[in-house]
Structure formats: C-alpha cells, structure tokens
C-alpha cells in the first residue's frame, strides 16, 4: 500500500478547464449535489479501506517566522493575491499509482452548474515512506 | 452503569491518601477487572467491590514501587471501614479535574477520564487526536493536580465551564460527548445543590432535545427557524423546563439559567413565528448584565431584529466589533429580512469565507446561492 495526498487548490496549478467555481452563484441544489458527491466519495473510500484523512482549510492564513531570541514571532499576510492557495486535502492509502490517479480523477468529476463535472485540477503527491526492512 | 461509579471510587482512594495519578490508574485497572469478572460473578455491592479491588491494586503498586526504590515509607494501613461520604468524594473529584491550574483542554480530558470513566482511546477518538497525544495530555494533567489539597471549597462554576465545553464538542467521534456531558451534569446535580448546576443541566437538555432536527438528511445545518418542531424531544424539553423553573424560583440568577431561559422560550414556541422574542431580548439583557460578553451582545442584536424589526437589529449590530465570530452572518440575515437581498447575498458569501467549520460554511454558501439565483 502507498499513501498519497490529494491536494485541492483554491488557486494555482495548470490553467483551469472550467471556470473557478463560484459556489454562491450556483443554485443551492447544485451546491448541495457537489457537497454530497464529495461526501459519498469519502464514504466509498472508507468502505473500500482506502481512506485515511480529509480536511478543509480556511482560505485565509498567515506566514510566520522566528525573529531571534526574546523577540515575538514575525507574521506576514494574509495575501489576497497569492498565486497558490490550498483549500484542503484528502489522504488515501492505495495499492498502486494507477489507483491513485483513478481516484483523483473521480474526485475531480464532482458535479458543478447544471450537473456537469467541474474537472478541477487536483495535485497528487506520494508520501515519503519508511525505509523497507528488507533491502537486499 | 459501571462508569457512574468511577468518581465515587476514585474519590475514596484519594481521601484515603493515595496520590491522584496512582489512584486513577488503580481505578481504571479495577474497571477492567470488573468487566472481566462481573458477567459471571456479579457483586452484591458493586461500588464496595470496586473500592476494595482498586485500593488493593493501588497498594500493590505502591509496595512494588517502594520495594524497588528500597523505601518503606508507604505503609499498607487499611483504613477502618466505615460510612463513606460518597457525595463529598465525588464532588471533590469534579473540582480536582476542573482545577484552575489546568488548561481547558486538560481539564476536559481529565474530567472525561477520571469522572466519566472513559478510556484514553475513547477520549482521543472523540477529539480526533492520536491516542498517545491524549495519553500525554491526561498524564500531564494528573501530575499538575497531584498534591492539590482541598482545604477550601472549590468554585462550582469552573466545573460547569468544563462540562459546557464537553457538551459543545458534540458527537464527532464514536463517543457521544453531548450525552456524556449531560450524564456528568446530572451526576453533579445529585451531589451539589446550586442553581447554576441546574441551569446548565436544563440548558443541555433543552438543546439536546432539538438535536435530531438540527441536521438535514445530508448532514446539512438546519437553522432553528426551519427545524421540524415535531422532531423535538418533548420529554427532554419538559424535564429541562421543570429543572429550570425550580432553579429560577430560588432567585439566584446566573448565566447558565439565563441561557437556558432563552432555550426554553424557543422550545415553548409551537412555530418559529410564535416565538416570544420580546422576552428573549429581556433574557439577553440579563445575560449582558451578567457576562458583558460581546458574543451575547451579538445574539441580542439578532433577537432585537426579530422583536423590533431588522433595522433595529442592524442598529444594535452596528455598535459591535465586526470581527466578532458570526457578525457577518448575522448582518446578512438581518439585511435579508430587511429586503436588501443583494447586500445579504454578498454578506452571506463573505461570512462563508470566514466560517470556521464546514457545516456552517456550506450553510452560508447555500444562503448566498439561494438569494443570487432567486
């Protein structure tokens, strides 16, 4: 089994195939169908034993760094114009890279306006693993 | 129920002089032993059985420690058997677990384990943190309160705050924390006579009564005005109202009684339109006087909007800091009631961006979508 991170971006990545969804411009029913699709997707992965974790992030964050002994942390942001903005993630544990691609594509097919798949780009990142016990 | 015996048993061990951390471990061991033995051989006096087994377990551990350290300063004098003031022991344990030296998250974890008798794993799951993290949190908390002596009575409001935190966490994991908080509040009410304990218990019961109607089939939030009131639990409401009325009649008002009074007025309305908003505003006035909390002022502004019209509500809202949680959502709602749909839609969308949980974010997004597409 191998773990993968499916990263969902508010912004960033390749040029979008469909417009960035503006949920508050959809009908409530279209939005509900979109949310339900993602919940059902997670529930299916749980029952297939491939689900690890899923979290959503607030759109606004703060950059922070150390600024020397006895000094308060330095903060910067939030930046409304940041190019890349992460919306959330799902972690899956699957048998193969192909399976990970298949699942990412399925999640990207969540319905949008008029029920058509939104086809958003999801970033797929393999987790670094522990070194194997048997190496020779 | 086995877990309901936990605080009394632990209280006895602590009163006999066992240090808190060791006593707590011994009681957990005794609970595990009870689960193994009782199905085949149920004791006549479950509590006495647990005290005996836990005390023996504590002494064994203490002796082993003493021997290992070649110290003999812990002696195994069995205290004289006699009447055990169970209520005092239980109450002392509540105070200990909510001790002001603990952070809120530590007090919550320790209360659930030592008073509630939940396992570390159950608590970890309920709060969605890894089990070793929760184990550390609990053992640090135990070390913090070990050695606390009760030479003066504790402040019951610290205990109430901890139970309120547990109740508000809801039921995300496999332990129903709301139900557990109610159980612990009921138990507390049997050992201490205080109108605010009754007030908190009533508040919990009245909110719990509405639980089934608070979410739709897809887990969507259903706001109070849209809830199917036939699904409210009338038994819990009746119990909550009765407990509250008894507490209020003692004329020692506190914030939990006032909050429960607001909840009772909602529970009392056959339809949302029949809600007695004028009385609710009066209770919020009491709450402002008692707490001076900006969050209470925000809720009051919404109630004013219902009692005196949306313009009055918006005026009350304008006096408050607009970075308060839910300020934008409240403004959106009042603008919608005032007929200004485009402002309302814009504010709902902004409130969705500021939301701190998914259920609220989705709900607010849906509100914006509803107004934008009507």
């Amino acid at each position: 089994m191998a773990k993968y991170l499916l990263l969902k971006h508010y912004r960033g990545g390749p040029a979008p195939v469909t417009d960035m969804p503006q949920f508050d411009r959809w009908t409530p029913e279209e939005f509900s169908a979109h949310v339900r699709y993602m919940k059902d997707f997670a529930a299916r992965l749980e029952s297939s034993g491939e689900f690890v974790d899923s979290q959503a992030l607030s759109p606004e964050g703060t950059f922070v760094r150390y600024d020397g002994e006895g000094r308060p942390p330095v903060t910067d942001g939030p930046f409304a114009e940041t190019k890349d903005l992460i919306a959330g993630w799902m972690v899956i544990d699957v048998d193969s890279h192909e399976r990970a691609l298949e699942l990412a594509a399925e999640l990207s097919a969540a319905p949008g306006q008029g029920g058509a798949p939104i086809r958003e780009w999801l970033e797929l990142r393999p987790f670094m693993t522990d070194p194997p016990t048997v190496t020779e | 129920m086995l877990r309901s015996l936990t605080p009394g048993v632990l209280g006895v061990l602590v009163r006999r002089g066992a240090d808190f951390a060791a006593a707590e471990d011994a009681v957990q061991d005794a609970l595990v032993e009870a689960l193994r033995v009782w199905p085949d051989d149920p004791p006549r006096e479950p509590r006495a059985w647990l005290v005996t087994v836990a005390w023996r377990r504590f002494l064994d551990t203490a002796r082993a420690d003493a021997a290992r350290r070649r110290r003999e300063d812990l002696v195994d004098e069995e205290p004289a058997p006699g009447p055990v003031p169970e209520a005092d022991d239980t109450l002392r344990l509540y105070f200990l677990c909510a001790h002001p030296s603990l952070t809120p998250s530590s007090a919550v974890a320790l209360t659930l384990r030592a008073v509630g008798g939940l396992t570390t794993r159950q608590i970890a799951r309920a709060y969605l943190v890894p089990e070793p993290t929760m184990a550390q949190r609990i053992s640090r908390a135990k070390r913090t309160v070990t050695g606390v002596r009760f030479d003066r009575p504790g402040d019951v409001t610290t205990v109430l705050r901890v139970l309120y935190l547990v109740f508000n966490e809801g039921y995300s994991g496999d332990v129903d924390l709301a139900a557990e908080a109610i159980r612990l509040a009921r138990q507390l009410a049997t050992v201490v006579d205080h109108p605010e304990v009754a007030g908190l218990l009533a508040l919990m019961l009245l909110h719990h009564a509405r639980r089934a109607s608070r979410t739709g089939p897809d887990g969507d939030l259903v706001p109070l005005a849209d809830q199917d009131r036939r699904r409210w639990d009338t038994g819990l409401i009746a119990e909550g109202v009765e407990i509250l009325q008894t507490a209020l009649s003692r004329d020692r008002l506190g914030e939990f009684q006032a909050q429960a009074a607001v909840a009772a007025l909602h529970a009392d309305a056959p339809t949302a339109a029949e809600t007695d908003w004028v009385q609710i505003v009066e209770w919020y006035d009491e709450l402002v006087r008692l707490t001076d909390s900006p969050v209470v002022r925000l809720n009051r502004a919404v109630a004013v909007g219902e009692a005196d019209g949306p313009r009055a509500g918006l005026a009350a809202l304008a006096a408050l800091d607009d970075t308060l949680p839910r300020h934008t959502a409240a403004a959106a709602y009042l603008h919608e009631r005032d007929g200004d749909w485009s402002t309302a839609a814009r504010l709902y969308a902004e409130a969705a961006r500021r939301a701190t949980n998914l259920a609220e974010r989705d709900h607010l997004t849906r509100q914006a979508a509803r107004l934008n597409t009507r």
Side-chain angles (χ1 to χ4, degrees):
Chain A
M1 298 293 273
K3 289 194 178 64
Y4 288 87
L5 177 68
L6 287 174
L7 267 183
K8 190 181 174 73
H9 298 252
Y10 284 114
R11 283 195 297 272
V17 181
T18 55
D19 286 343
M20 170 73 192
Q22 269 196 290
F23 295 125
D24 60 314
R25 300 283 155 180
W26 298 8
T27 66
E29 293 72 28
E30 285 166 344
F31 177 69
S32 291
H34 180 80
V35 172
R36 195 179 316 119
Y37 182 95
M38 293 195 293
K39 280 185 185 166
D40 290 350
F41 177 77
R44 269 203 311 285
L45 289 191
E46 264 188 280
S47 58
S48 66
E50 295 172 310
F51 179 85
V52 179
D53 181 37
S54 175
Q55 299 289 338
L57 299 174
S58 285
E60 287 199 347
T62 310
F63 283 85
V64 189
R65 69 170 173 80
Y66 175 63
D67 197 40
E69 194 66 46
R71 297 166 68 94
V74 176
T75 62
D76 206 350
F79 299 107
E81 69 287 357
T82 311
K83 266 171 71 184
D84 187 19
L85 195 58
I86 296 164
W89 67 75
M90 186 177 285
V91 179
I92 56 176
D93 194 5
V94 292
D95 276 321
S96 65
H97 188 68
E98 287 66 35
R99 175 64 177 157
L101 289 173
E102 183 182 307
L103 289 176
E106 193 181 329
L107 185 56
S108 156
Q113 278 179 299
I118 58 169
R119 302 205 241 173
E120 68 177 325
W121 289 103
L122 294 173
E123 189 180 359
L124 185 67
R125 301 278 297 270
F127 274 51
M128 301 286 267
T129 61
D130 279 338
T133 312
V134 179
T135 49
E136 66 273 18
Chain B
M1 184 189 181
L2 189 54
R3 285 202 288 117
S4 66
L5 300 170
T6 310
V9 175
L10 183 46
V12 171
L13 265 64
V14 171
R15 189 163 42 79
R16 286 180 182 178
D19 83 77
F20 178 71
E24 211 278 330
D25 287 338
V27 172
Q28 284 277 331
D29 285 349
L31 289 173
V32 170
E33 184 71 1
L35 287 175
R36 195 176 64 80
V37 175
W38 288 9
D40 297 326
D41 184 15
R44 262 188 312 148
E45 297 277 352
R47 186 165 170 276
W49 188 99
L50 283 171
V51 170
T52 306
V53 172
W55 181 248
R56 204 181 293 141
R57 187 61 60 109
F58 164 71
L59 289 178
D60 287 349
T61 312
R63 279 200 206 96
D65 285 352
R68 196 177 61 237
R69 295 187 215 130
R70 297 179 161 278
R71 273 211 330 252
E72 301 290 338
D73 49 357
L74 255 172
V75 287
D76 56 341
E77 279 173 72
E78 184 92 27
V84 176
E86 184 183 349
D88 289 356
D89 288 334
T90 300
L91 185 57
R92 208 174 294 132
L93 197 62
Y94 272 94
F95 284 138
L96 190 64
C97 293
H99 196 266
S101 61
L102 295 169
T103 62
S105 61
S106 301
V108 160
L110 193 58
T111 297
L112 288 173
R113 166 126 177 183
V115 188
L118 295 174
T119 64
T120 302
R121 169 177 298 199
Q122 285 174 315
I123 303 167
R125 284 200 182 157
Y127 285 93
L128 305 176
V129 299
E131 191 177 338
T133 302
M134 188 53 80
Q136 280 304 322
R137 198 178 292 173
I138 290 170
S139 54
R140 284 174 66 99
K142 285 204 273 186
R143 281 201 298 278
T144 303
V145 297
T146 289
V148 167
R149 288 281 163 264
F150 283 94
D151 42 5
R152 75 192 83 167
D155 178 2
V156 79
T157 58
T158 61
V159 177
L160 296 181
R161 275 186 210 299
V162 169
L163 298 186
Y164 186 71
L165 283 179
V166 174
F167 182 74
N168 257 341
E169 195 64 32
Y171 44 105
S172 51
D174 59 352
V175 172
D176 184 342
L177 288 176
E180 182 64 11
I182 288 174
R183 189 180 75 79
L184 295 178
R186 278 189 200 283
Q187 186 172 262
L188 181 63
T190 64
V191 294
V192 61
D193 184 25
H194 190 294
E196 276 293 88
V197 175
L200 178 64
L201 179 56
L203 175 68
M204 289 176 174
L205 292 170
L206 290 163
H207 277 274
H208 207 56
R210 302 203 293 253
R211 177 151 104 172
S213 63
R214 266 205 302 263
T215 45
D218 287 329
D220 303 346
L221 272 188
V222 181
L224 184 56
D226 300 336
Q227 288 173 9
D228 179 355
R229 297 181 180 224
R230 287 165 307 179
R231 295 177 67 200
W232 289 359
D233 185 328
T234 49
L236 287 181
I237 289 173
E239 187 190 356
V241 167
E242 197 193 322
I243 291 171
L244 174 65
Q245 281 171 341
T246 309
L248 288 175
S249 69
R250 298 173 63 181
D251 212 19
R252 283 167 60 201
L253 188 63
E255 60 173 305
F256 289 120
Q257 292 169 79
Q259 277 196 56
V262 172
L265 284 166
H266 285 302
D268 195 39
T271 64
E274 290 168 87
T275 307
D276 188 346
W277 287 105
V278 174
Q279 259 209 78
I280 289 178
V281 171
E282 287 169 10
W283 280 111
Y284 276 124
D285 288 338
E286 291 285 357
L287 272 168
V288 168
R289 189 178 58 74
L290 288 164
T291 66
D292 197 30
S293 142
V295 175
V296 168
R297 286 179 195 275
L298 182 73
N299 287 329
R300 183 184 170 278
V302 176
V304 166
E306 301 287 357
D308 302 333
R311 295 280 166 90
L314 285 166
L317 203 58
L320 303 174
D321 180 357
D322 66 4
T323 61
L324 273 173
R326 299 202 176 91
H327 187 285
T328 312
Y333 174 74
L334 291 168
H335 277 292
E336 182 186 352
R337 298 240 323 158
D338 194 35
D340 184 354
W341 295 345
S342 67
T343 303
R346 180 177 55 75
L347 290 172
Y348 274 129
E350 189 187 325
R353 281 192 294 279
R354 291 190 190 183
T356 56
N357 69 74
L358 268 184
E360 267 185 40
R361 180 165 92 186
D362 290 353
H363 173 71
L364 292 164
T365 303
R366 224 174 265 119
Q367 299 303 307
R370 178 175 53 79
L371 292 179
N372 279 327
T373 59
R374 72 195 290 163

